[in-house]
Amino acid sequence: MQIGITAKQAGISRQTLQYYLMIGLLEPTEVTATGRRLFDHAAVERIRLIRKLNQSGYPLRAIRELFLEGKFDSKGVDS
C-alpha cells in the first residue's frame, strides 16, 4: 500500500506517518525503483500499536526504544 492509504487504514495523518518514518519508528516494507515507499498490513498494525502506546502516555522516543530492544514485535506481542 502507498503511504496515503496506509495512513488512512491506520487512522493517522500522512504527515504523522512521514514523521514516524523520519524518527525511525517505522520502515517501509518495500521501496520501488522510483522511490515510492510501500507498506503491508503488518506495518498498519505496528502504526496502530505506536498510536495506542503514545495515547496511553508513552513518548515516541520510549516507543522507539521498545522496538529497538525487541520488547515488541511488529504485531505488538511482548517478545
Side-chain angles (χ1 to χ4, degrees), residues 2 15 18 26 31 42 44 51 63 71-72 76:
Q2 294 179 4
Q15 291 80 10
Q18 289 172 334
L26 187 70
V31 179
V44 172
R51 190 168 156 230
I63 296 168
K71 301 281 186 191
F72 291 98

Side-chain angles (χ1 to χ4, degrees), residues 4-53:
I5 295 168
T6 303
K8 186 174 184 177
Q9 285 195 1
I12 62 172
S13 70
R14 182 184 176 118
Q15 291 80 10
T16 298
L17 179 48
Q18 289 172 334
Y19 182 68
Y20 288 176
L21 290 165
M22 184 181 75
I23 65 171
L25 275 170
L26 187 70
E27 295 202 11
T29 306
E30 178 184 346
V31 179
T32 68
T34 59
R36 284 188 186 249
R37 295 170 291 187
L38 302 176
F39 302 88
D40 60 10
H41 291 286
V44 172
E45 291 304 314
R46 182 175 176 130
I47 295 164
R48 288 178 180 158
L49 174 63
I50 292 166
R51 190 168 156 230
K52 183 188 290 185
L53 289 169

